[in-house]
Amino acid sequence: MSVEKKDKSDQILNTFDRNISQIEKCLENDLKEVSIILIVTTFEAFLKDVFKFCETLWFSHTAEQANPKLVTPSARKTLRKYLKGINAYDEFLKTRYVYSNMVDPDTISLNEVLFRSQMGKINFQNLKNENGVKVAYKAFFDIVLYNLLDADERNSLEMWKKLIGLFEERHEIVPSVIG
């Protein structure tokens, strides 16, 4: 791992650990609503950071060769299906044209479309819809997020449902705190 990648991975983990420490302090002080907001925000940030950090592994499950070279039809079909599902395929093609003479036009274009556009195309605040994190992780990494929460599949699914509940509860809390 390069020094730059190591520094970035350390930064992601340190931020995560610092956030967990803050959550624990809030829970100790019986600050339930603040804890929920921090838990969900920490989870969102971690998933986004890991997603971006692992860009060299995007679509590696579709072929022997991993991204950034989406050279196989399987990888390109997977990408097309995902981008069409979030209404970003045309934007990707237009952006890819702009960067077509660059060393890695696919990754540059994907990063611009998915992360640098005004709102971003992947909604890390959403676990389950087409533009949500669950679908993105499945398409880009072939990872089923709700299976990762526990070794026991049933427990993992129950934890996933609780996590969705926390996300929904956070969305109810934030407007009341702001307003």
Side-chain angles (χ1 to χ4, degrees), residues 19-30:
N19 289 341
I20 294 301
S21 176
Q22 289 295 325
I23 292 165
E24 289 170 345
K25 287 176 186 172
C26 288
L27 289 171
E28 288 169 6
N29 291 303
D30 202 32

Side-chain angles (χ1 to χ4, degrees), residues 5 46-63 66-67 70 75 78-79 82 114-115 122 124 133-145 148:
K5 279 286 207 182
F46 183 75
L47 286 176
K48 184 175 185 177
D49 289 345
V50 169
F51 192 93
K52 291 169 86 172
F53 179 77
C54 294
E55 76 177 18
T56 57
L57 299 175
W58 290 350
F59 304 103
S60 61
H61 62 282
T62 63
N67 188 61
L70 292 166
T78 301
L79 175 61
Y82 174 75
L114 297 176
F115 301 111
I122 301 173
F124 288 90
V133 69
K134 179 183 87 168
V135 177
Y137 267 78
K138 178 66 175 152
F140 281 70
F141 301 111
D142 197 31
I143 292 174
V144 180
L145 286 177
L148 298 178

Side-chain angles (χ1 to χ4, degrees), residues 82-129:
Y82 174 75
L83 291 174
K84 282 185 172 189
I86 63 167
N87 297 318
Y89 187 61
D90 289 343
E91 185 179 350
F92 169 75
L93 291 177
K94 290 173 187 173
T95 305
R96 176 133 183 359
Y97 174 75
V98 170
Y99 296 111
S100 61
N101 290 330
M102 303 296 284
V103 174
D104 186 6
D106 293 324
T107 301
I108 294 168
S109 301
L110 277 170
N111 271 301
E112 185 164 315
V113 169
L114 297 176
F115 301 111
R116 293 188 190 114
S117 61
Q118 192 169 21
M119 290 294 290
K121 296 294 181 183
I122 301 173
N123 184 349
F124 288 90
Q125 295 182 9
N126 183 310
L127 294 177
K128 47 190 180 174
N129 293 339

Side-chain angles (χ1 to χ4, degrees), residues 26-39:
C26 288
L27 289 171
E28 288 169 6
N29 291 303
D30 202 32
L31 299 170
K32 180 185 171 203
E33 290 181 337
V34 175
S35 299
I36 290 170
I37 293 168
L38 286 174
I39 289 168

